Amino acid sequence: MSWGTELWDQFDNLEKHTQWGIDVLEKFIKFVKERTEIELSYAKQLRNLSKKYQPKKNSKEEEEYRYTSARAFLATLNEMNDYAGQHEVISENMTSLITGELTRYVQELKQERKSHFHDGRKAQQHIETCWKQLEASKRRFERDCKEADRAQQYFEKMDADINVTKADVEKARQQAQLRHQMAEDSKAEYSSTLQKFNSEQHDHYYTHIPHIFQKIQEMEERRIVRIGESMKTFAEVDRQVIPIIGKCLDEITKAAESIDHKNDSQLVIEAFKSGFEPPGDVDFEDFTQPMKRTVSESSLSNSRADGKSEPKFGGKSKGKLWPFIKKNKLMSLLTSPHQPPPPPPASASPSAVPNGPQSPKQQKEPLSHRFNEFMTSKPKIHCFRSLKRGGAGPEDFSNLPPEQRRKKLQQKVDELNRDIQKEMDQRDALTKMKDVYIKNPQMGDAASVDHRLAELGQNIEKLRLEVQKFEAWLAEVEGRLSMRSEARRQSGLYEAQNTSAVNSCAQDRESSPDGSYTEEQSQETEMKVPATDFDDEFDDEEPLPTIGTCKALYTFEGQNEGTISVAEGEMLYVIEEDKGDGWTRIRRNEDEEGYVPTSYVEVYLDKNAKDVYKSLEKISE
């Protein structure tokens, strides 16, 4: 089966068919090119989608990826990014293996096709030329034969005519002979041309055209094979990335299976656990008897009648109902006097006024009013440490609940240790460089790195001091947490005693002569549940700073809530100046503080502490 023998007369149709084949190949190239564009666009959209939902650096979203479900989602985003990369690989491979190769092949195919059909046209032109030569020789032979016949007829006519001279007859005979010779020559030429044409025609249809058409057939078959191979490559490019895409999908499945709901629940506990103990039961307050009111450890106010210090059990026994309420602020709001202080006695002698002037009786306000006043008031900063370290929060994270504080301190210690390691690595590198300079002075001056080594040594020492400081705070917090857990285990031992204390509290109340509230506690009621370490932590942090000292000029019996009894000549600490209401807040020791009339004491303020205290007041306002 050959085009040269079967299609020897279909030159034009073959030309059209081969052009159609090239058009099909170009159409396939265009299809693959558009497919690559789609793959690139799809990959770009997948990457943008993955990037859109990636956590932003230094944002709150990064903290959320501690949870297994969030990490699984992040893994899915990363795998989708790889998935998009495989589609980019598909596009690149199709572009290089199909589009690029076929484009070059089409150019070569067009040149080859052009060459073959140029040879075919040339062969056709040659055979046509031979045919024209044969036709010309034939017409010339025919013409010469006719001319010879006419010349012979004319000679015969002249020879038969008796009236014609002998010379005319001879002339006619010579002309006839000439024409016959010309006819013979034309015949010979025609015969020669005919043989030549037949030979050329045989070569044309049996040699040249079959050879040219065979080349065209081979060219077309190569085109068909090439487009088939390109289609296989088209499928193979996809098949090559299927295993990698499968791995991406397997990783997504693995990430989904790694989600641990129990672990996430535990992380929520670790993230938000405050370390506080739940508030205890609220004591019953009996208002049926006028001017008698129980002031218990769980109520909002706590009078210190007659300057008596309460018994301790395992440390400070300061009850708190709400974990975040600052006790000093609360006591200041609930117990500070609201009436003008009494005038000083006429005589400076204690005998002139045996018991001193009675402080005004405080007008009681409903508990809800006091609590509302506390909740709406602006908190004051009572800690010098917070002022010294700026407004970003205490350096030791004492403003955080215990559990959160422990985590922050641990993170800080780890961060400082990493910084120390970096500095030590730099120091080691510089030390090696210095040794190299010492051995090879031409490479550099060894003294040039001494300054940097000294700086690194100082930095390492500073960082180690910081680590020791934070480790001390961390050890303190961890110790308190362990003590708290021990106290929680022992809380059952005191539950019965605490219940009996609440029940007997109302029976032991007595009214003081001046209307203040006192609390006579029996041995049973004095037994309290051990205070939590969180109470100790915040009580140690929150007391008002001392801004000076004072000397009592007169004896004052503080019998109202918020006041404190002083003896003449007693030296005390000033913790709050007179704010224009005639009262000064003082402290005797860690547990005894209250208000006394300003006119009853001589105040010696520490200038530096006073300036800092005023600064704190401005900041809190």
Side-chain angles (χ1 to χ4, degrees):
M1 183 181 64
S2 172
W3 287 6
T5 57
E6 303 292 338
L7 303 175
W8 61 270
D9 58 344
Q10 300 297 321
F11 184 87
D12 294 337
N13 287 331
L14 287 179
E15 186 176 19
K16 293 178 181 179
H17 177 76
T18 52
Q19 181 61 44
W20 171 83
I22 292 176
D23 293 341
V24 169
L25 195 56
E26 290 179 335
K27 187 183 297 184
F28 180 73
I29 294 173
K30 185 177 180 182
F31 161 75
V32 175
K33 186 175 181 181
E34 291 183 2
R35 165 73 189 277
T36 58
E37 292 174 355
I38 291 173
E39 292 291 344
L40 281 178
S41 177
Y42 181 52
K44 182 179 180 181
Q45 291 179 13
L46 283 179
R47 287 192 184 277
N48 290 339
L49 181 66
S50 177
K51 183 178 179 181
K52 177 181 179 182
Y53 289 95
Q54 287 281 353
K56 297 178 177 59
K57 293 184 178 179
N58 301 324
S59 66
K60 186 179 179 182
E61 292 182 3
E62 284 190 335
E63 299 180 2
E64 297 174 355
Y65 284 89
R66 298 174 300 172
Y67 302 102
T68 57
S69 57
R71 287 203 302 269
F73 178 59
L74 181 59
T76 301
L77 294 177
N78 294 333
E79 293 301 329
M80 288 306 296
N81 205 36
D82 296 340
Y83 186 88
Q86 296 309 309
H87 285 278
E88 291 176 346
V89 170
I90 291 175
S91 176
E92 292 173 1
N93 290 341
M94 286 187 176
T95 300
S96 60
L97 299 179
I98 300 178
T99 306
E101 292 294 331
L102 285 184
T103 300
R104 288 191 293 271
Y105 178 71
V106 165
Q107 297 300 325
E108 295 173 0
L109 187 64
K110 287 181 177 180
Q111 291 295 330
E112 184 180 359
R113 176 181 174 274
K114 182 179 179 180
S115 174
H116 292 329
F117 282 98
H118 175 73
D119 292 342
R121 288 191 182 90
K122 187 176 180 181
Q124 280 191 332
Q125 290 175 358
H126 176 69
I127 197 65
E128 288 176 359
T129 301
C130 291
W131 173 256
K132 290 179 180 179
Q133 290 176 357
L134 177 62
E135 286 293 323
S137 177
K138 180 182 177 181
R139 286 193 298 269
R140 188 165 51 250
F141 172 58
E142 180 183 8
R143 185 180 66 248
D144 289 344
C145 287
K146 290 179 178 179
E147 290 292 334
D149 289 341
R150 283 195 295 270
Q152 184 66 29
Q153 291 175 3
Y154 181 73
F155 167 70
E156 291 176 356
K157 182 180 179 181
M158 292 293 291
D159 188 39
D161 189 357
I162 59 175
N163 296 320
V164 178
T165 63
K166 188 176 181 178
D168 292 336
V169 173
E170 186 63 25
K171 183 178 180 180
R173 185 180 62 79
Q174 291 178 358
Q175 185 68 28
Q177 289 178 353
L178 179 62
R179 292 296 178 181
H180 277 290
Q181 185 61 40
M182 290 179 63
E184 288 296 332
D185 293 339
S186 297
K187 181 180 178 181
E189 181 183 359
Y190 170 65
S191 177
S192 174
T193 304
L194 179 61
Q195 290 177 0
K196 182 179 179 181
F197 173 78
N198 288 333
S199 176
E200 291 290 342
Q201 181 175 257
H202 184 275
D203 292 341
H204 175 78
Y205 287 110
Y206 290 95
T207 304
H208 299 306
I209 290 298
H211 180 70
I212 293 172
F213 280 16
Q214 186 64 32
K215 290 183 178 179
I216 294 174
Q217 180 181 358
E218 292 173 358
M219 177 193 71
E220 182 67 10
E221 289 175 352
R222 287 198 306 271
R223 179 194 67 81
I224 296 172
V225 171
R226 190 61 178 268
I227 195 171
E229 292 176 351
S230 299
M231 290 180 180
K232 288 181 181 180
T233 306
F234 180 83
E236 194 64 28
V237 166
D238 265 341
R239 186 175 289 109
Q240 288 175 355
V241 300
I242 286 177
I244 303 177
I245 291 178
K247 288 181 180 179
C248 294
L249 299 178
D250 291 341
E251 289 297 325
I252 293 175
T253 304
K254 184 178 178 181
E257 292 173 351
S258 68
I259 295 176
D260 186 354
H261 58 283
K262 295 293 185 182
N263 182 66
D264 285 2
S265 299
Q266 183 62 31
L267 288 176
V268 174
I269 294 174
E270 294 176 1
F272 301 109
K273 181 180 179 181
S274 65
F276 299 138
E277 293 291 340
D281 296 338
V282 179
D283 293 342
F284 176 77
E285 300 185 18
D286 190 0
F287 293 96
T288 56
Q289 299 179 12
M291 303 306 295
K292 288 185 178 181
R293 179 181 178 185
T294 299
V295 181
S296 63
E297 287 296 301
S298 59
S299 63
L300 289 178
S301 62
N302 183 15
S303 66
R304 308 181 185 275
D306 299 329
K308 296 180 180 178
S309 64
E310 298 179 358
K312 304 289 191 302
F313 187 88
K316 300 174 186 176
S317 179
K318 299 179 182 180
K320 288 188 179 181
L321 182 58
W322 295 279
F324 293 102
I325 292 181
K326 306 296 187 289
K327 190 167 185 178
N328 291 325
K329 179 67 179 177
L330 183 63
M331 295 301 295
S332 174
L333 289 170
L334 296 180
T335 61
S336 58
H338 291 277
Q339 296 185 4
S347 172
S349 172
S351 62
V353 183
N355 296 325
Q358 298 295 324
S359 51
K361 297 180 180 179
Q362 178 181 350
Q363 183 179 359
K364 298 294 179 181
E365 295 183 6
L367 183 61
S368 60
H369 292 178
R370 290 299 182 104
F371 184 65
N372 289 335
E373 179 184 356
F374 163 74
M375 295 302 290
T376 57
S377 62
K378 294 181 179 179
K380 295 180 180 179
I381 301 176
H382 298 312
C383 180
F384 283 118
R385 190 182 300 169
S386 299
L387 178 65
K388 180 175 67 177
R389 292 170 185 160
E395 186 181 10
D396 60 354
F397 306 107
S398 58
N399 59 325
L400 299 176
E403 282 288 341
Q404 305 304 318
R405 183 187 180 196
R406 181 186 64 79
K407 290 177 62 178
K408 288 290 185 181
L409 288 172
Q410 186 63 54
Q411 293 174 2
K412 188 66 176 179
V413 169
D414 295 340
E415 180 183 348
L416 289 172
N417 285 329
R418 287 194 296 269
D419 293 341
I420 289 175
Q421 187 60 42
K422 290 180 182 178
E423 296 290 328
M424 292 178 67
D425 292 341
Q426 293 184 21
R427 185 180 64 181
D428 294 342
L430 286 176
T431 303
K432 292 180 180 178
M433 184 183 296
K434 183 178 179 181
D435 294 340
V436 172
Y437 288 168
I438 292 174
K439 295 177 181 179
N440 302 288
Q442 68 275 10
M443 297 182 68
D445 184 10
S448 62
V449 298
D450 290 339
H451 178 67
R452 180 57 180 163
L453 283 173
E455 288 183 356
L456 290 173
Q458 294 175 0
N459 293 340
I460 292 172
E461 187 63 28
K462 290 179 182 178
L463 289 172
R464 283 175 176 169
L465 292 175
E466 286 288 314
V467 169
Q468 293 175 3
K469 179 172 62 175
F470 280 97
E471 285 179 344
W473 286 333
L474 180 60
E476 177 186 359
V477 172
E478 290 177 344
R480 289 179 178 176
L481 289 175
S482 62
M483 291 174 63
R484 182 180 300 108
S485 62
E486 181 67 23
R488 188 182 301 112
R489 288 194 297 270
Q490 296 178 359
S491 61
L493 299 176
Y494 303 97
E495 183 176 354
Q497 297 174 351
N498 189 40
T499 305
S500 62
V502 172
N503 293 335
S504 61
C505 187
Q507 300 175 2
D508 295 337
R509 298 189 193 98
E510 294 182 2
S511 176
S512 61
D514 61 352
S516 63
Y517 299 113
T518 61
E519 185 176 0
E520 298 295 336
Q521 296 180 330
S522 62
Q523 292 297 325
E524 291 78 12
T525 60
E526 291 177 358
M527 183 67 70
K528 300 292 181 182
V529 177
T532 64
D533 293 309
F534 173 72
D535 294 341
D536 293 344
E537 182 180 343
F538 274 75
D539 287 340
D540 290 343
E541 190 71 35
E542 290 301 325
L544 288 171
T546 301
I547 62 174
T549 58
C550 68
K551 179 180 180 181
L553 301 177
Y554 314 101
T555 299
F556 174 69
E557 295 292 338
Q559 297 179 344
N560 283 356
E561 281 189 340
T563 61
I564 185 173
S565 299
V566 296
E568 181 180 357
E570 185 178 2
M571 295 298 295
L572 304 118
Y573 296 103
V574 178
I575 59 176
E576 189 174 316
E577 280 189 280
D578 184 354
K579 296 183 179 181
D581 55 0
W583 295 89
T584 298
R585 192 173 181 180
I586 63 172
R587 178 186 293 145
R588 176 178 285 111
N589 53 41
E590 188 176 358
D591 293 328
E592 292 187 74
E593 62 180 47
Y595 289 90
V596 297
T598 304
S599 56
Y600 276 59
V601 293
E602 184 176 357
V603 178
Y604 310 99
L605 292 179
D606 185 353
K607 185 178 185 304
N608 294 332
K610 183 178 178 182
D611 294 340
V612 173
Y613 181 74
K614 289 182 178 179
S615 300
L616 288 171
E617 290 289 335
K618 291 180 180 179
I619 294 174
S620 64
E621 292 175 358

